[in-house]
PDB file of all heavy atoms in Angstrom:
ATOM      1  N   SER A 392     193.135 -92.026  33.401  1.00 97.00           N
ATOM      2  CA  SER A 392     194.351 -92.831  33.248  1.00 97.00           C
ATOM      3  C   SER A 392     194.620 -93.091  31.780  1.00 97.00           C
ATOM      4  O   SER A 392     193.715 -93.374  31.041  1.00 97.00           O
ATOM      5  CB  SER A 392     194.171 -94.154  33.995  1.00 97.00           C
ATOM      6  OG  SER A 392     195.293 -95.000  33.757  1.00 97.00           O
ATOM      7  N   ILE A 393     195.885 -92.951  31.446  1.00 95.00           N
ATOM      8  CA  ILE A 393     196.346 -93.438  30.123  1.00 95.00           C
ATOM      9  C   ILE A 393     197.653 -94.197  30.420  1.00 95.00           C
ATOM     10  O   ILE A 393     198.550 -93.661  31.043  1.00 95.00           O
ATOM     11  CB  ILE A 393     196.620 -92.257  29.129  1.00 95.00           C
ATOM     12  CG1 ILE A 393     195.362 -91.462  28.853  1.00 95.00           C
ATOM     13  CG2 ILE A 393     197.253 -92.823  27.838  1.00 95.00           C
ATOM     14  CD1 ILE A 393     195.552 -90.316  27.922  1.00 95.00           C
ATOM     15  N   SER A 394     197.683 -95.440  29.952  1.00 93.00           N
ATOM     16  CA  SER A 394     198.866 -96.311  30.202  1.00 93.00           C
ATOM     17  C   SER A 394     199.134 -97.173  28.982  1.00 93.00           C
ATOM     18  O   SER A 394     198.182 -97.494  28.240  1.00 93.00           O
ATOM     19  CB  SER A 394     198.653 -97.144  31.452  1.00 93.00           C
ATOM     20  OG  SER A 394     197.487 -97.939  31.299  1.00 93.00           O
ATOM     21  N   GLN A 395     200.392 -97.522  28.823  1.00 90.00           N
ATOM     22  CA  GLN A 395     200.748 -98.384  27.659  1.00 90.00           C
ATOM     23  C   GLN A 395     200.384 -99.828  27.949  1.00 90.00           C
ATOM     24  O   GLN A 395     200.608-100.348  29.043  1.00 90.00           O
ATOM     25  CB  GLN A 395     202.221 -98.281  27.341  1.00 90.00           C
ATOM     26  CG  GLN A 395     202.570 -99.114  26.154  1.00 90.00           C
ATOM     27  CD  GLN A 395     203.820 -98.643  25.420  1.00 90.00           C
ATOM     28  OE1 GLN A 395     204.348 -97.600  25.694  1.00 90.00           O
ATOM     29  NE2 GLN A 395     204.293 -99.466  24.489  1.00 90.00           N
ATOM     30  N   ARG A 396     199.783-100.486  26.940  1.00 90.00           N
ATOM     31  CA  ARG A 396     199.393-101.901  27.084  1.00 90.00           C
ATOM     32  C   ARG A 396     200.306-102.838  26.278  1.00 90.00           C
ATOM     33  O   ARG A 396     200.621-103.914  26.658  1.00 90.00           O
ATOM     34  CB  ARG A 396     197.954-102.097  26.614  1.00 90.00           C
ATOM     35  CG  ARG A 396     196.975-101.546  27.593  1.00 90.00           C
ATOM     36  CD  ARG A 396     197.080-102.315  28.881  1.00 90.00           C
ATOM     37  NE  ARG A 396     196.313-101.703  29.939  1.00 90.00           N
ATOM     38  CZ  ARG A 396     196.754-101.581  31.187  1.00 90.00           C
ATOM     39  NH1 ARG A 396     197.935-101.987  31.530  1.00 90.00           N
ATOM     40  NH2 ARG A 396     195.975-101.028  32.112  1.00 90.00           N
ATOM     41  N   SER A 397     200.712-102.376  25.044  1.00 90.00           N
ATOM     42  CA  SER A 397     201.566-103.232  24.207  1.00 90.00           C
ATOM     43  C   SER A 397     202.271-102.412  23.169  1.00 90.00           C
ATOM     44  O   SER A 397     202.003-101.244  23.021  1.00 90.00           O
ATOM     45  CB  SER A 397     200.724-104.336  23.580  1.00 90.00           C
ATOM     46  OG  SER A 397     199.790-103.770  22.673  1.00 90.00           O
ATOM     47  N   GLY A 398     203.133-103.052  22.385  1.00 88.00           N
ATOM     48  CA  GLY A 398     203.791-102.382  21.310  1.00 88.00           C
ATOM     49  C   GLY A 398     205.114-101.738  21.730  1.00 88.00           C
ATOM     50  O   GLY A 398     205.631-101.981  22.862  1.00 88.00           O
ATOM     51  N   ALA A 399     205.681-100.938  20.841  1.00 88.00           N
ATOM     52  CA  ALA A 399     206.919-100.259  21.091  1.00 88.00           C
ATOM     53  C   ALA A 399     206.772 -99.228  22.211  1.00 88.00           C
ATOM     54  O   ALA A 399     205.704 -98.727  22.407  1.00 88.00           O
ATOM     55  CB  ALA A 399     207.402 -99.587  19.821  1.00 88.00           C
ATOM     56  N   LYS A 400     207.818 -98.976  22.939  1.00 91.00           N
ATOM     57  CA  LYS A 400     207.842 -97.929  23.924  1.00 91.00           C
ATOM     58  C   LYS A 400     207.944 -96.583  23.245  1.00 91.00           C
ATOM     59  O   LYS A 400     209.005 -96.020  23.077  1.00 91.00           O
ATOM     60  CB  LYS A 400     208.961 -98.152  24.946  1.00 91.00           C
ATOM     61  CG  LYS A 400     208.984 -97.208  26.051  1.00 91.00           C
ATOM     62  CD  LYS A 400     207.978 -97.505  27.098  1.00 91.00           C
ATOM     63  CE  LYS A 400     208.162 -96.613  28.298  1.00 91.00           C
ATOM     64  NZ  LYS A 400     207.003 -96.232  28.973  1.00 91.00           N
ATOM     65  N   VAL A 401     206.830 -96.070  22.745  1.00 90.00           N
ATOM     66  CA  VAL A 401     206.757 -94.859  21.931  1.00 90.00           C
ATOM     67  C   VAL A 401     206.655 -93.616  22.832  1.00 90.00           C
ATOM     68  O   VAL A 401     207.154 -92.539  22.462  1.00 90.00           O
ATOM     69  CB  VAL A 401     205.552 -94.937  20.946  1.00 90.00           C
ATOM     70  CG1 VAL A 401     205.351 -93.658  20.201  1.00 90.00           C
ATOM     71  CG2 VAL A 401     205.786 -96.104  19.964  1.00 90.00           C
ATOM     72  N   PHE A 402     206.024 -93.759  23.946  1.00 91.00           N
ATOM     73  CA  PHE A 402     205.771 -92.616  24.865  1.00 91.00           C
ATOM     74  C   PHE A 402     206.485 -92.751  26.185  1.00 91.00           C
ATOM     75  O   PHE A 402     206.727 -93.888  26.638  1.00 91.00           O
ATOM     76  CB  PHE A 402     204.257 -92.493  25.156  1.00 91.00           C
ATOM     77  CG  PHE A 402     203.371 -92.320  23.979  1.00 91.00           C
ATOM     78  CD1 PHE A 402     202.612 -93.379  23.491  1.00 91.00           C
ATOM     79  CD2 PHE A 402     203.291 -91.121  23.369  1.00 91.00           C
ATOM     80  CE1 PHE A 402     201.784 -93.212  22.427  1.00 91.00           C
ATOM     81  CE2 PHE A 402     202.433 -90.944  22.270  1.00 91.00           C
ATOM     82  CZ  PHE A 402     201.678 -91.992  21.805  1.00 91.00           C
ATOM     83  N   GLY A 403     206.754 -91.629  26.770  1.00 94.00           N
ATOM     84  CA  GLY A 403     207.157 -91.589  28.179  1.00 94.00           C
ATOM     85  C   GLY A 403     205.827 -91.799  28.973  1.00 94.00           C
ATOM     86  O   GLY A 403     204.767 -91.991  28.412  1.00 94.00           O
ATOM     87  N   ARG A 404     205.943 -91.755  30.309  1.00 95.00           N
ATOM     88  CA  ARG A 404     204.743 -91.930  31.156  1.00 95.00           C
ATOM     89  C   ARG A 404     203.775 -90.802  30.966  1.00 95.00           C
ATOM     90  O   ARG A 404     204.190 -89.623  30.899  1.00 95.00           O
ATOM     91  CB  ARG A 404     205.166 -92.006  32.588  1.00 95.00           C
ATOM     92  CG  ARG A 404     204.070 -92.323  33.529  1.00 95.00           C
ATOM     93  CD  ARG A 404     204.613 -92.537  34.967  1.00 95.00           C
ATOM     94  NE  ARG A 404     203.552 -92.304  35.884  1.00 95.00           N
ATOM     95  CZ  ARG A 404     203.371 -91.192  36.548  1.00 95.00           C
ATOM     96  NH1 ARG A 404     204.208 -90.183  36.437  1.00 95.00           N
ATOM     97  NH2 ARG A 404     202.370 -91.035  37.407  1.00 95.00           N
ATOM     98  N   PHE A 405     202.496 -91.091  30.815  1.00 96.00           N
ATOM     99  CA  PHE A 405     201.476 -90.051  30.687  1.00 96.00           C
ATOM    100  C   PHE A 405     201.149 -89.515  32.081  1.00 96.00           C
ATOM    101  O   PHE A 405     200.981 -90.262  33.026  1.00 96.00           O
ATOM    102  CB  PHE A 405     200.213 -90.605  30.062  1.00 96.00           C
ATOM    103  CG  PHE A 405     200.239 -90.591  28.570  1.00 96.00           C
ATOM    104  CD1 PHE A 405     200.767 -91.661  27.893  1.00 96.00           C
ATOM    105  CD2 PHE A 405     199.761 -89.521  27.845  1.00 96.00           C
ATOM    106  CE1 PHE A 405     200.842 -91.655  26.522  1.00 96.00           C
ATOM    107  CE2 PHE A 405     199.824 -89.491  26.504  1.00 96.00           C
ATOM    108  CZ  PHE A 405     200.342 -90.555  25.784  1.00 96.00           C
ATOM    109  N   LYS A 406     201.029 -88.200  32.206  1.00 97.00           N
ATOM    110  CA  LYS A 406     200.721 -87.539  33.452  1.00 97.00           C
ATOM    111  C   LYS A 406     199.596 -86.593  33.233  1.00 97.00           C
ATOM    112  O   LYS A 406     199.538 -85.893  32.217  1.00 97.00           O
ATOM    113  CB  LYS A 406     201.919 -86.786  34.038  1.00 97.00           C
ATOM    114  CG  LYS A 406     203.106 -87.631  34.355  1.00 97.00           C
ATOM    115  CD  LYS A 406     204.285 -86.808  34.791  1.00 97.00           C
ATOM    116  CE  LYS A 406     205.516 -87.681  34.973  1.00 97.00           C
ATOM    117  NZ  LYS A 406     206.714 -86.889  35.201  1.00 97.00           N
ATOM    118  N   GLN A 407     198.708 -86.478  34.240  1.00 97.00           N
ATOM    119  CA  GLN A 407     197.604 -85.541  34.113  1.00 97.00           C
ATOM    120  C   GLN A 407     198.139 -84.113  34.303  1.00 97.00           C
ATOM    121  O   GLN A 407     198.947 -83.864  35.167  1.00 97.00           O
ATOM    122  CB  GLN A 407     196.486 -85.803  35.143  1.00 97.00           C
ATOM    123  CG  GLN A 407     195.318 -84.866  34.951  1.00 97.00           C
ATOM    124  CD  GLN A 407     194.244 -85.056  35.994  1.00 97.00           C
ATOM    125  OE1 GLN A 407     194.552 -85.274  37.169  1.00 97.00           O
ATOM    126  NE2 GLN A 407     192.994 -84.953  35.576  1.00 97.00           N
ATOM    127  N   ALA A 408     197.637 -83.241  33.470  1.00 97.00           N
ATOM    128  CA  ALA A 408     197.961 -81.807  33.582  1.00 97.00           C
ATOM    129  C   ALA A 408     196.616 -81.049  33.675  1.00 97.00           C
ATOM    130  O   ALA A 408     195.745 -81.227  32.855  1.00 97.00           O
ATOM    131  CB  ALA A 408     198.755 -81.331  32.388  1.00 97.00           C
ATOM    132  N   VAL A 409     196.510 -80.201  34.684  1.00 97.00           N
ATOM    133  CA  VAL A 409     195.294 -79.411  34.845  1.00 97.00           C
ATOM    134  C   VAL A 409     195.680 -77.917  34.752  1.00 97.00           C
ATOM    135  O   VAL A 409     196.612 -77.490  35.448  1.00 97.00           O
ATOM    136  CB  VAL A 409     194.595 -79.643  36.207  1.00 97.00           C
ATOM    137  CG1 VAL A 409     193.377 -78.755  36.361  1.00 97.00           C
ATOM    138  CG2 VAL A 409     194.162 -81.147  36.277  1.00 97.00           C
ATOM    139  N   VAL A 410     195.046 -77.195  33.885  1.00 96.00           N
ATOM    140  CA  VAL A 410     195.289 -75.795  33.712  1.00 96.00           C
ATOM    141  C   VAL A 410     194.017 -75.030  34.156  1.00 96.00           C
ATOM    142  O   VAL A 410     192.926 -75.387  33.670  1.00 96.00           O
ATOM    143  CB  VAL A 410     195.641 -75.449  32.257  1.00 96.00           C
ATOM    144  CG1 VAL A 410     195.734 -73.914  32.059  1.00 96.00           C
ATOM    145  CG2 VAL A 410     196.880 -76.134  31.811  1.00 96.00           C
ATOM    146  N   THR A 411     194.175 -74.098  34.986  1.00 97.00           N
ATOM    147  CA  THR A 411     193.004 -73.289  35.468  1.00 97.00           C
ATOM    148  C   THR A 411     193.035 -71.952  34.717  1.00 97.00           C
ATOM    149  O   THR A 411     194.015 -71.252  34.663  1.00 97.00           O
ATOM    150  CB  THR A 411     193.087 -73.016  36.998  1.00 97.00           C
ATOM    151  OG1 THR A 411     193.048 -74.291  37.628  1.00 97.00           O
ATOM    152  CG2 THR A 411     191.907 -72.192  37.471  1.00 97.00           C
ATOM    153  N   ARG A 412     191.911 -71.654  34.098  1.00 96.00           N
ATOM    154  CA  ARG A 412     191.694 -70.381  33.437  1.00 96.00           C
ATOM    155  C   ARG A 412     190.762 -69.550  34.330  1.00 96.00           C
ATOM    156  O   ARG A 412     189.561 -69.898  34.531  1.00 96.00           O
ATOM    157  CB  ARG A 412     191.069 -70.575  32.054  1.00 96.00           C
ATOM    158  CG  ARG A 412     191.881 -71.426  31.111  1.00 96.00           C
ATOM    159  CD  ARG A 412     193.080 -70.730  30.655  1.00 96.00           C
ATOM    160  NE  ARG A 412     193.812 -71.624  29.697  1.00 96.00           N
ATOM    161  CZ  ARG A 412     195.110 -71.763  29.682  1.00 96.00           C
ATOM    162  NH1 ARG A 412     195.856 -71.159  30.535  1.00 96.00           N
ATOM    163  NH2 ARG A 412     195.661 -72.535  28.775  1.00 96.00           N
ATOM    164  N   ALA A 413     191.279 -68.475  34.919  1.00 97.00           N
ATOM    165  CA  ALA A 413     190.482 -67.679  35.850  1.00 97.00           C
ATOM    166  C   ALA A 413     189.362 -66.917  35.153  1.00 97.00           C
ATOM    167  O   ALA A 413     188.290 -66.654  35.773  1.00 97.00           O
ATOM    168  CB  ALA A 413     191.389 -66.687  36.574  1.00 97.00           C
ATOM    169  N   ALA A 414     189.521 -66.609  33.885  1.00 97.00           N
ATOM    170  CA  ALA A 414     188.514 -65.810  33.175  1.00 97.00           C
ATOM    171  C   ALA A 414     188.249 -66.400  31.786  1.00 97.00           C
ATOM    172  O   ALA A 414     188.350 -65.679  30.761  1.00 97.00           O
ATOM    173  CB  ALA A 414     188.913 -64.353  33.124  1.00 97.00           C
ATOM    174  N   ALA A 415     187.958 -67.675  31.759  1.00 96.00           N
ATOM    175  CA  ALA A 415     187.618 -68.296  30.460  1.00 96.00           C
ATOM    176  C   ALA A 415     186.262 -67.751  29.995  1.00 96.00           C
ATOM    177  O   ALA A 415     185.426 -67.428  30.796  1.00 96.00           O
ATOM    178  CB  ALA A 415     187.574 -69.790  30.624  1.00 96.00           C
ATOM    179  N   VAL A 416     186.097 -67.700  28.716  1.00 96.00           N
ATOM    180  CA  VAL A 416     184.845 -67.199  28.162  1.00 96.00           C
ATOM    181  C   VAL A 416     183.843 -68.333  27.925  1.00 96.00           C
ATOM    182  O   VAL A 416     184.223 -69.482  27.700  1.00 96.00           O
ATOM    183  CB  VAL A 416     185.046 -66.406  26.853  1.00 96.00           C
ATOM    184  CG1 VAL A 416     185.835 -65.150  27.125  1.00 96.00           C
ATOM    185  CG2 VAL A 416     185.672 -67.254  25.775  1.00 96.00           C
ATOM    186  N   ARG A 417     182.594 -68.003  28.071  1.00 94.00           N
ATOM    187  CA  ARG A 417     181.479 -68.888  27.766  1.00 94.00           C
ATOM    188  C   ARG A 417     180.332 -68.052  27.246  1.00 94.00           C
ATOM    189  O   ARG A 417     180.305 -66.850  27.486  1.00 94.00           O
ATOM    190  CB  ARG A 417     181.092 -69.767  28.942  1.00 94.00           C
ATOM    191  CG  ARG A 417     180.573 -68.966  30.136  1.00 94.00           C
ATOM    192  CD  ARG A 417     180.275 -69.924  31.288  1.00 94.00           C
ATOM    193  NE  ARG A 417     179.806 -69.214  32.447  1.00 94.00           N
ATOM    194  CZ  ARG A 417     178.515 -68.876  32.728  1.00 94.00           C
ATOM    195  NH1 ARG A 417     177.595 -69.220  31.866  1.00 94.00           N
ATOM    196  NH2 ARG A 417     178.218 -68.197  33.790  1.00 94.00           N
ATOM    197  N   PRO A 418     179.401 -68.666  26.524  1.00 95.00           N
ATOM    198  CA  PRO A 418     178.312 -67.879  25.939  1.00 95.00           C
ATOM    199  C   PRO A 418     177.432 -67.243  27.067  1.00 95.00           C
ATOM    200  O   PRO A 418     177.214 -67.888  28.100  1.00 95.00           O
ATOM    201  CB  PRO A 418     177.494 -68.885  25.168  1.00 95.00           C
ATOM    202  CG  PRO A 418     178.382 -70.082  24.975  1.00 95.00           C
ATOM    203  CD  PRO A 418     179.328 -70.048  26.110  1.00 95.00           C
ATOM    204  N   ASP A 419     176.992 -66.066  26.854  1.00 96.00           N
ATOM    205  CA  ASP A 419     176.119 -65.388  27.759  1.00 96.00           C
ATOM    206  C   ASP A 419     174.672 -65.739  27.441  1.00 96.00           C
ATOM    207  O   ASP A 419     174.188 -65.355  26.366  1.00 96.00           O
ATOM    208  CB  ASP A 419     176.335 -63.859  27.696  1.00 96.00           C
ATOM    209  CG  ASP A 419     175.444 -63.110  28.663  1.00 96.00           C
ATOM    210  OD1 ASP A 419     174.571 -63.708  29.302  1.00 96.00           O
ATOM    211  OD2 ASP A 419     175.622 -61.855  28.765  1.00 96.00           O
ATOM    212  N   PRO A 420     173.971 -66.487  28.264  1.00 94.00           N
ATOM    213  CA  PRO A 420     172.595 -66.870  27.933  1.00 94.00           C
ATOM    214  C   PRO A 420     171.634 -65.700  27.868  1.00 94.00           C
ATOM    215  O   PRO A 420     170.565 -65.772  27.303  1.00 94.00           O
ATOM    216  CB  PRO A 420     172.231 -67.848  29.027  1.00 94.00           C
ATOM    217  CG  PRO A 420     173.121 -67.535  30.153  1.00 94.00           C
ATOM    218  CD  PRO A 420     174.418 -66.979  29.551  1.00 94.00           C
ATOM    219  N   ASP A 421     172.049 -64.542  28.460  1.00 95.00           N
ATOM    220  CA  ASP A 421     171.213 -63.362  28.463  1.00 95.00           C
ATOM    221  C   ASP A 421     171.736 -62.274  27.527  1.00 95.00           C
ATOM    222  O   ASP A 421     171.439 -61.077  27.713  1.00 95.00           O
ATOM    223  CB  ASP A 421     171.096 -62.814  29.885  1.00 95.00           C
ATOM    224  CG  ASP A 421     170.468 -63.810  30.817  1.00 95.00           C
ATOM    225  OD1 ASP A 421     169.432 -64.474  30.430  1.00 95.00           O
ATOM    226  OD2 ASP A 421     170.969 -63.958  31.952  1.00 95.00           O
ATOM    227  N   SER A 422     172.493 -62.647  26.515  1.00 95.00           N
ATOM    228  CA  SER A 422     173.063 -61.696  25.580  1.00 95.00           C
ATOM    229  C   SER A 422     171.959 -60.940  24.857  1.00 95.00           C
ATOM    230  O   SER A 422     170.884 -61.492  24.631  1.00 95.00           O
ATOM    231  CB  SER A 422     174.035 -62.346  24.603  1.00 95.00           C
ATOM    232  OG  SER A 422     173.305 -63.174  23.751  1.00 95.00           O
ATOM    233  N   PRO A 423     172.271 -59.686  24.440  1.00 93.00           N
ATOM    234  CA  PRO A 423     171.198 -58.871  23.824  1.00 93.00           C
ATOM    235  C   PRO A 423     170.540 -59.491  22.582  1.00 93.00           C
ATOM    236  O   PRO A 423     169.336 -59.355  22.374  1.00 93.00           O
ATOM    237  CB  PRO A 423     171.926 -57.601  23.461  1.00 93.00           C
ATOM    238  CG  PRO A 423     173.169 -57.615  24.262  1.00 93.00           C
ATOM    239  CD  PRO A 423     173.465 -58.993  24.611  1.00 93.00           C
ATOM    240  N   TYR A 424     171.335 -60.205  21.785  1.00 92.00           N
ATOM    241  CA  TYR A 424     170.780 -60.828  20.533  1.00 92.00           C
ATOM    242  C   TYR A 424     170.520 -62.336  20.682  1.00 92.00           C
ATOM    243  O   TYR A 424     170.274 -62.983  19.672  1.00 92.00           O
ATOM    244  CB  TYR A 424     171.713 -60.537  19.393  1.00 92.00           C
ATOM    245  CG  TYR A 424     171.870 -59.053  19.112  1.00 92.00           C
ATOM    246  CD1 TYR A 424     173.011 -58.386  19.503  1.00 92.00           C
ATOM    247  CD2 TYR A 424     170.826 -58.353  18.499  1.00 92.00           C
ATOM    248  CE1 TYR A 424     173.137 -57.016  19.315  1.00 92.00           C
ATOM    249  CE2 TYR A 424     170.967 -56.963  18.302  1.00 92.00           C
ATOM    250  CZ  TYR A 424     172.103 -56.332  18.692  1.00 92.00           C
ATOM    251  OH  TYR A 424     172.176 -54.984  18.488  1.00 92.00           O
ATOM    252  N   ARG A 425     170.649 -62.850  21.890  1.00 92.00           N
ATOM    253  CA  ARG A 425     170.432 -64.273  22.175  1.00 92.00           C
ATOM    254  C   ARG A 425     171.347 -65.166  21.329  1.00 92.00           C
ATOM    255  O   ARG A 425     170.960 -66.241  20.928  1.00 92.00           O
ATOM    256  CB  ARG A 425     168.957 -64.644  21.981  1.00 92.00           C
ATOM    257  CG  ARG A 425     168.039 -63.954  22.882  1.00 92.00           C
ATOM    258  CD  ARG A 425     168.182 -64.472  24.268  1.00 92.00           C
ATOM    259  NE  ARG A 425     167.136 -63.931  25.154  1.00 92.00           N
ATOM    260  CZ  ARG A 425     167.411 -63.334  26.295  1.00 92.00           C
ATOM    261  NH1 ARG A 425     168.693 -63.250  26.685  1.00 92.00           N
ATOM    262  NH2 ARG A 425     166.497 -62.874  27.072  1.00 92.00           N
TER     263      ARG A 425
END
Side-chain angles (χ1 to χ4, degrees):
S392 173
I393 298 180
S394 58
Q395 182 156 349
R396 289 294 171 224
S397 64
K400 182 77 172 147
V401 174
F402 300 104
R404 186 172 157 263
F405 276 87
K406 298 177 187 171
Q407 184 183 38
V409 177
V410 174
T411 300
R412 303 286 184 224
V416 295
R417 63 182 177 89
D419 181 354
D421 299 318
S422 66
Y424 298 104
R425 299 287 187 233

